[in-house]
């Protein structure tokens, strides 16, 4: 006997085996119960995690909303709590600062790297064009004139934007164009905090406008509704007004505004703060740490309570109270202090507090929590706590894992912020005649070839310098890497600039009749010992 049923377009069947048939011959009722149980199991699925009948899973019914339904109702609270933790919780501050320092550091540096084959250039012509583009970019990016508020250069804007994405989940970069003084470029950048992106007049979300983002029929951003001042501004403007900024220019098709956030789910409109998954344990850990500190302070104070007949003047003098104190007995403010002697009246009594601090379990407990938080943030505990007390192998493994995370976030920054801004800059530089690029406006492929660039940031650092330099040389020797790449990764510099400087120094050494580096003996250094 078999049972068949179609559920959700899927046909489910339960078959009797040989044992079931034998049982049916003896007890048909029991056989039917067995067949029904097998059918129920087949209909329910094979994953315990999806069961609604198991005791551990009965009360677990998370919502099944889309990306915006799950995120937007909680976004405001997540942002505010994330910022509060960054301001006041050392671990949260360290996580954000460590990520910013390793991903952005002093700023990602652009080196033009065009495709001469597509552009029909010789290598010499391409090199000359790249040098000119680098100079023009330095003129714009290294000046605070690139900032509409004249506060930051482009490196500072990179750091500010990336920090905002970590703390708030997303950030807007408006790109107004106006002339100021004798500076040749009109393109400016205006960083806008995420709180200002919201629906006009507090209207509810619709299919076309979600959390201040207006979308077209394909779900692409069409326009942004930006409050003219922060909703938490100290001085509020009345009435509140919104700017309606089109996402792209109708004429050039370049973005008028960049909305920076990491897309974690299809259809996601706004970004999630970096600390969101660990906000609750972080806050609880912060409270626990404060309680432990207070308990340790109280435990360190040894106070003697003495019963006397009066409990007044003579004991007030012992603790240094002023002779002009006119308080009566029993009115003293009893405070704990180092070696304090407090006088009490006959009818008063005390109990000594014994917090039992320092708590021997505090550090292992913190370490366990930090392991979990580091796993969530993709920052190993050793890097997060700046504590390298384990072996060399463990420290290096943590270092490598952290660098994978930092590298991926750096690439995201280049793709989302640096690359689009460089293309907008080139558009103006070429349109104004400061750079000559035939075909830039006519063919997207040619434009892409001109926009080619490499972005280098702070080096990842080295634990065993000699070993890592030798390994880099070996990779170059067997063609696994290039001198330019290894220079950037090991030192954050440029091999071409290093080569030019070395040539200059070589000439100076020859002129000064000093030995050059080719004439010096290269020592065979022994490999450093490890634990």
């Amino acid at each position: 006997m078999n049972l068949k049923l179609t559920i959700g377009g899927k046909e489910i069947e339960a078959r009797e085996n040989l044992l079931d048939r034998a049982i049916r011959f003896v007890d048909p009722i029991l056989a039917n119960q067995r067949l029904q149980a097998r059918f129920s199991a087949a209909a329910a699925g094979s994953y315990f995690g999806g069961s609604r009948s198991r005791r551990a899973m009965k009360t677990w019914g998370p919502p099944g909303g889309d990306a915006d339904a799950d995120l937007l109702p909680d976004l405001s609270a997540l942002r505010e709590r994330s910022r509060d933790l960054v301001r006041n919780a050392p671990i949260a501050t360290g996580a954000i600062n460590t990520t910013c320092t390793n991903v952005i550091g002093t700023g990602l540096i652009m080196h033009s790297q065009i495709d001469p084959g597509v552009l029909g250039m010789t290598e010499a012509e391409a090199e000359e064009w790249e040098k000119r583009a680098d100079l023009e970019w330095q003129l714009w990016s290294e000046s605070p004139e690139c900032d509409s508020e004249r506060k930051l250069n482009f490196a500072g804007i990179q750091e500010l934007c990336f920090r905002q994405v970590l703390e708030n989940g997303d950030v807007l970069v408006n790109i107004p164009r106006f002339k100021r003084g004798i500076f040749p470029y009109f393109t400016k950048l205006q960083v806008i905090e995420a709180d200002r992106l919201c629906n006009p007049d507090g209207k509810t979300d619709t299919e076309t406008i979600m959390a201040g983002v207006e979308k077209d029929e394909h779900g692409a951003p069409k326009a942004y509704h930006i409050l003219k001042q922060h909703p938490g501004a100290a001085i509020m403007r009345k009435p509140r007004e919104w700017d309606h900024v089109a996402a792209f220019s109708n004429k050039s098709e370049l973005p008028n505004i960049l909305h920076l956030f990491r897309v974690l789910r299809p259809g996601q409109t706004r970004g999630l703060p970096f600390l969101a998954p660990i906000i609750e344990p972080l806050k609880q850990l912060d409270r626990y740490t404060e309680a432990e500190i207070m308990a340790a302070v109280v435990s360190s104070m040894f106070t003697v309570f003495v019963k006397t007949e009066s409990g007044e003047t003579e004991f007030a003098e012992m603790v240094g109270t002023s002779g002009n104190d006119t308080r009566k007995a029993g009115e003293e403010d009893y405070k704990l202090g180092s070696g304090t002697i407090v006088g009490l009246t006959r009818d008063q009594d005390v109990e000594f507090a014994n917090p039992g601090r320092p708590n021997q379990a505090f550090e292992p407990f913190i370490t366990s929590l930090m392991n979990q938080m580091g796993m969530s943030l993709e920052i190993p505990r050793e890097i997060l706590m700046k504590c390298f007390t384990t072996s060399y192998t463990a420290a290096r493994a943590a270092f490598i894992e952290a660098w994978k995370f930092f590298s991926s976030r750096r690439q995201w920054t280049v793709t989302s912020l640096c690359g689009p801004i460089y293309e907008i800059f080139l558009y103006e530089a070429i349109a104004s005649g400061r750079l000559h690029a035939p075909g830039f406006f006519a063919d997207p492929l040619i434009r892409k070839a001109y926009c080619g660039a490499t972005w280098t940031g702070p080096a990842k650092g080295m634990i065993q310098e000699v070993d890592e330099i030798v390994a880099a040389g070996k990779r170059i020797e067997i063609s696994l890497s290039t001198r330019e790449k290894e220079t950037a990764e090991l030192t954050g510099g440029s091999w071409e600039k290093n080569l030019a400087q070395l040539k200059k120094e070589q000439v100076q050494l020859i002129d000064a009749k000093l030995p050059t580096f080719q004439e010096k003996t290269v020592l065979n250094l022994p490999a450093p010992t490890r634990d």
Side-chain angles (χ1 to χ4, degrees):
M1 183 177 179
N2 299 331
L3 280 179
K4 288 186 179 181
L5 184 64
T6 301
I7 299 178
K10 178 183 178 182
E11 187 179 82
I12 299 173
E13 182 179 5
R15 296 175 177 270
E16 285 187 336
N17 55 30
L18 185 61
L19 178 60
D20 293 326
R21 293 170 187 168
I23 293 174
R24 181 173 295 281
F25 181 78
V26 177
D27 189 345
I29 296 177
L30 179 59
N32 287 339
Q33 291 175 348
R34 286 172 58 85
L35 185 60
Q36 185 179 3
R38 183 175 288 107
F39 180 81
S40 298
S46 302
Y47 289 95
F48 291 157
S51 172
R52 290 176 172 81
S53 60
R54 295 176 68 85
R55 182 174 299 176
M57 299 294 173
K58 279 184 178 180
T59 58
W60 186 10
D66 64 8
D68 289 337
D70 286 347
L71 173 60
L72 296 183
D74 297 327
L75 183 56
S76 178
L78 289 172
R79 277 201 306 255
E80 292 160 3
R81 290 171 180 173
S82 174
R83 288 197 293 253
D84 181 70
L85 285 171
V86 173
R87 286 192 296 263
N88 298 301
I91 295 173
T93 306
I96 298 295
N97 288 343
T98 296
T99 306
C100 286
T101 299
N102 284 277
V103 174
I104 305 297
T106 55
L108 306 183
I109 300 173
M110 191 281 299
H111 302 285
S112 176
Q113 194 171 51
I114 64 177
D115 190 331
V118 173
L119 300 176
M121 291 184 179
T122 64
E123 291 293 336
E125 290 172 338
E127 184 178 348
E128 186 63 29
W129 197 95
E130 290 169 351
K131 288 181 180 179
R132 179 64 184 180
D134 286 348
L135 287 174
E136 291 293 328
W137 171 255
Q138 291 167 15
L139 171 65
W140 180 82
S141 65
E142 295 178 1
S143 169
E145 287 295 338
C146 70
D147 182 6
S148 64
E149 298 181 3
R150 277 183 168 172
K151 292 179 181 178
L152 302 170
N153 59 16
F154 187 59
I157 290 175
Q158 292 174 36
E159 200 271 342
L160 177 61
C161 290
F162 187 71
R163 181 178 292 274
Q164 287 288 299
V165 171
L166 293 179
E167 289 188 21
N168 296 332
D170 55 359
V171 70
L172 297 169
V173 182
N174 190 27
I175 310 173
R177 296 168 179 83
F178 57 88
K179 183 170 177 58
R180 188 158 54 191
I182 62 172
F183 196 70
Y185 287 101
F186 288 45
T187 300
K188 315 294 180 188
L189 304 178
Q190 178 190 17
V191 182
I192 300 173
E193 200 162 29
D195 304 62
R196 293 174 57 188
L197 181 60
C198 54
N199 292 347
D201 301 318
K203 295 179 180 177
T204 57
D205 293 334
T206 66
E207 291 183 358
T208 56
I209 300 179
M210 298 285 290
V213 182
E214 186 175 341
K215 300 181 179 181
D216 63 17
E217 63 274 17
H218 303 292
K222 181 179 178 182
Y224 297 92
H225 297 269
I226 302 171
L227 189 61
K228 287 191 174 181
Q229 64 178 143
H230 196 284
I235 301 176
M236 293 298 295
R237 177 184 304 172
K238 294 183 179 180
R240 297 203 300 175
E241 299 176 350
W242 277 259
D243 285 325
H244 179 273
V245 183
F248 297 91
S249 169
N250 291 330
K251 184 177 180 180
S252 65
E253 298 184 354
L254 293 173
N256 291 322
I257 196 165
L258 296 178
H259 186 196
L260 306 179
F261 68 96
R262 291 189 71 222
V263 179
L264 303 176
R265 291 182 62 183
Q268 184 178 338
T269 303
R270 302 295 299 272
L272 183 71
F274 181 53
L275 300 175
I278 61 170
I279 281 179
E280 182 182 3
L282 259 180
K283 185 60 179 176
Q284 297 287 46
L285 179 60
D286 188 51
R287 288 170 176 162
Y288 172 57
T289 304
E290 288 180 6
E292 285 291 332
I293 292 173
M294 181 57 66
V297 171
V298 171
S299 180
S300 69
M301 294 180 177
F302 182 75
T303 302
V304 178
F305 295 88
V306 181
K307 281 187 176 181
T308 68
E309 292 293 331
S310 61
E312 290 186 22
T313 307
E314 65 268 32
F315 290 98
E317 290 174 353
M318 291 179 70
V319 297
T321 304
S322 171
N324 297 326
D325 194 344
T326 59
R327 291 177 296 177
K328 297 179 182 180
E331 293 182 354
E332 290 87 350
D333 293 331
Y334 300 123
K335 297 180 180 180
L336 295 178
S338 302
T340 300
I341 301 176
V342 180
L344 302 174
T345 58
R346 184 182 305 174
D347 59 343
Q348 293 177 315
D349 199 359
V350 297
E351 291 184 5
F352 286 95
N354 183 22
R357 295 302 189 275
N359 183 357
Q360 299 301 320
F362 178 74
E363 185 173 353
F365 178 69
I366 293 293
T367 300
S368 177
L369 279 180
M370 292 300 296
N371 283 331
Q372 296 182 44
M373 292 183 184
M375 182 169 56
S376 173
L377 300 178
E378 294 187 77
I379 305 176
R381 175 180 56 84
E382 293 87 348
I383 306 296
L384 191 57
M385 297 183 71
K386 303 293 193 293
C387 180
F388 303 94
T389 57
T390 54
S391 65
Y392 168 84
T393 303
R396 180 164 174 79
F399 188 72
I400 292 172
E401 285 300 312
W403 193 250
K404 292 178 184 177
F405 165 69
F406 298 140
S407 298
S408 67
R409 288 302 178 94
R410 182 177 291 181
Q411 184 57 45
W412 176 87
T413 305
V414 169
T415 303
S416 303
L417 174 65
C418 299
I421 293 299
Y422 179 58
E423 182 177 356
I424 292 169
F425 161 80
L426 278 183
Y427 193 101
E428 182 181 356
I430 295 167
S432 64
R434 297 187 66 87
L435 285 174
H436 182 62
F440 183 87
F441 302 107
D443 189 340
L445 181 61
I446 292 178
R447 178 183 296 193
K448 178 177 174 58
Y450 277 117
C451 292
T454 58
W455 297 82
T456 57
K460 65 178 180 181
M462 293 177 277
I463 298 178
Q464 294 282 7
E465 291 194 29
V466 173
D467 275 8
E468 297 195 34
I469 291 173
V470 170
K474 191 65 176 178
R475 286 193 293 269
I476 294 171
E477 181 183 341
I478 61 177
S479 303
L480 292 179
S481 185
T482 64
R483 290 177 173 82
E484 182 66 35
K485 181 180 179 181
E486 294 297 336
T487 303
E489 289 187 354
L490 294 179
T491 68
S494 168
W495 181 79
E496 289 185 356
K497 290 184 177 180
N498 288 349
L499 183 60
Q501 181 64 25
L502 287 171
K503 287 180 179 178
K504 180 180 177 182
E505 293 174 359
Q506 187 85 340
V507 172
Q508 292 175 342
L509 287 171
I510 293 173
D511 291 344
K513 297 182 179 180
L514 294 174
T516 62
F517 65 83
Q518 289 97 336
E519 298 169 352
K520 295 180 180 178
T521 303
V522 179
L523 299 178
N524 253 335
L525 298 177
T529 59
R530 294 188 178 86
D531 47 9

